[in-house]
Amino acid sequence: TIKACLFDLDGVLVDTAIYHFKAWRQLAQSLGIDFTEHDNERLKGVSRVRSLEIILEIGGQTLPQEQMLALCEQKNTEYLVDVSKMTPEEILPGVEDFLKALKAEGIKIALGSASKNAQLILERTNLLPYFDAIIDGRHVVNGKPHPEVFLKGAEALGVKPEECVVFEDAVAGVESAKNAGMLCVGVGQPEVLTQTDIVVKDMTEMTVERLHALQQKA
Ligand code: BG6
Ligand code: MG
């Protein structure tokens, strides 16, 4: 039986992608790199420093480690200007209803995010009280697609991987869930999220019935 749901944050519970993009584009511009919205897809689900590596790759540049860390700091300061103004209105459609339904059913809820800002975002949007465990960028050594973030989530909840369903909008995140041996609901486009068990447009399409039906399918 399914005992827990593990949620990615950015792009699943809240739409912070636009703030990440704004901050990265500004930084890319300062390096003379043209960074487009299309390129931005590659940054979804991956860590902050990996994001910068991808941008430098696009621009055909390399920088010493120390300078890269300074640029990551700079990007995050810019990003936090927007995040610190976030409100519960920025929770994506259907999210709160689904979290409430899970709670009512006694299904455990964890966060599995690459972000080091996850706690702050959950606080700003009043989502924090729903979570039984939070595993984020501060708790993992290996980023997605490595399964560490979701395996640690299951462990914190005291459930087995096969009792977990992961919700993900990024290809790297879906791979991470599958590497962990978990069921996975893709949030977004089926053409992009091909390794998932089902794909939904957003959380308005999710119900507890659909969640349990996943296991019969698997
Ligand atoms: C993920 C985002 O959730 O978090 C990535 O999809 C981001 O785009 C990553 O790079 C790390 O986030 P942060 O907040 O620690 O810079
Ligand atoms: Mg995401």
Side-chain angles (χ1 to χ4, degrees), residues 8-12 44-45 144 167-170:
D8 174 49
L9 176 66
D10 296 312
V12 171
K44 291 188 179 171
K144 299 172 186 178
F167 293 81
E168 260 293 349
D169 71 314

Side-chain angles (χ1 to χ4, degrees), residues 92-116:
L92 287 169
V95 166
E96 283 210 88
D97 284 344
F98 186 54
L99 292 176
K100 281 180 188 146
L102 293 175
K103 278 263 171 268
E105 289 286 316
I107 294 172
K108 295 199 170 134
I109 300 173
L111 192 82
S113 169
S115 174
K116 294 184 170 158

